[in-house]
Amino acid sequence: MSETFIKTDEFLDFFQKNKDRVWIFLDTETLGFNAKKHQMTEVAAKSVEFENGHHKEVSCYHEKAKLLSATRLRLATPFRGKGMSYRDIMKMTNYGEPIKNREYIEEKKMLSEILEFVDSFENPIIVAHNSSFDIGYLNKRYNIYFDNKNPFDDYEVLDTLKVMKRYFAPLVVTEAKRFNHRWLPPGEKKQINDMRKLRKILMKKKTKKISLRLGNVAEALGLEIKGWHTAKFDVETLISTTEEMLKLFNSSRGKKLYPEKYFI
């Protein structure tokens, strides 16, 4: 029976083939998980081009939506449900903060504008962390206001959560398990030690599972996460995290990695 392994070369080949396209990093903030019930409050996107593994900004979009009457009505009602209330979510996502010294816009307009932003580029790649949520939410909220069904499905989407599950986590786990022989070159020793530190930060003590939430990965990679849970900041974090992953993937090109089965 042959061993099952993967290589970061697969993703690096994908990146090389598509590096000349515009990559649109995107994130949304919502007041819940049910797009039919809970409105969208923020959308941020930044279009970039890559050169030598580093991004160059092309343009950006960032808006926050006014609260709908149904949302205001729910806010006026005492919260008795499970999980986070609207007020909790709004506080976590900094809803209410000034945005470029202008008023928030209608959700309908925000959805129309973000689609126009994406559509202004020829053959772009949309990049999002756990993209099925963001793209699904955008489609469902758009369909409430317009007739065009699921317009965001017309674009190629790269899910960085799937990339992390397939390549990043196996890289961390495989390298961290290597025996640090004293005769290994200094660069190899550093790689092993760095991966052990990453695994320690990403591994949750109670579950012994690796957490691939964007904020956790960014923090493990030494990136600033002070503004996590706001769409604009999460887009910046996603871009920086992607660049750091590309560096790690390049440094591990050609190595056999073994899939890690447990994630949260």
Side-chain angles (χ1 to χ4, degrees), residues 25 164 213-219 221 223-244:
F25 289 81
M164 289 181 186
R213 292 174 181 169
L214 179 59
N216 296 335
V217 175
E219 184 178 23
L221 292 172
L223 301 173
E224 176 64 57
I225 62 166
K226 190 175 181 180
W228 191 25
H229 285 313
T230 61
K232 183 179 179 181
F233 188 87
D234 284 358
V235 164
E236 298 291 346
T237 303
L238 184 57
I239 294 172
S240 299
T241 302
T242 301
E243 287 186 338
E244 290 299 313

Side-chain angles (χ1 to χ4, degrees), residues 176-232:
K177 287 181 178 179
R178 289 176 61 196
F179 186 69
N180 199 342
H181 295 288
R182 63 179 181 273
W183 58 78
L184 284 176
E188 287 286 292
K189 288 184 178 182
K190 184 179 185 305
Q191 174 90 338
I192 294 171
N193 290 331
D194 288 347
M195 293 302 103
R196 287 177 178 177
K197 290 176 183 177
L198 276 176
R199 183 181 62 176
K200 185 177 180 180
I201 296 172
L202 293 171
M203 191 78 73
K204 295 301 178 182
K205 293 180 180 179
K206 291 184 178 180
T207 61
K208 299 298 181 182
K209 294 180 180 180
I210 287 180
S211 173
L212 295 178
R213 292 174 181 169
L214 179 59
N216 296 335
V217 175
E219 184 178 23
L221 292 172
L223 301 173
E224 176 64 57
I225 62 166
K226 190 175 181 180
W228 191 25
H229 285 313
T230 61
K232 183 179 179 181

Side-chain angles (χ1 to χ4, degrees), residues 151-169:
F152 294 90
D153 286 347
D154 293 339
Y155 305 96
E156 182 176 356
V157 178
L158 176 67
D159 188 342
T160 50
L161 178 58
K162 291 182 179 179
V163 173
M164 289 181 186
K165 285 183 177 182
R166 180 164 177 80
Y167 303 105
F168 177 70

Side-chain angles (χ1 to χ4, degrees), residues 72-90:
R72 294 185 180 279
L73 181 62
R74 185 164 181 173
L75 280 169
T77 305
F79 179 72
R80 297 188 178 88
K82 296 181 180 179
M84 300 179 71
S85 68
Y86 274 6
R87 293 189 187 280
D88 292 334
I89 296 172
M90 290 163 66

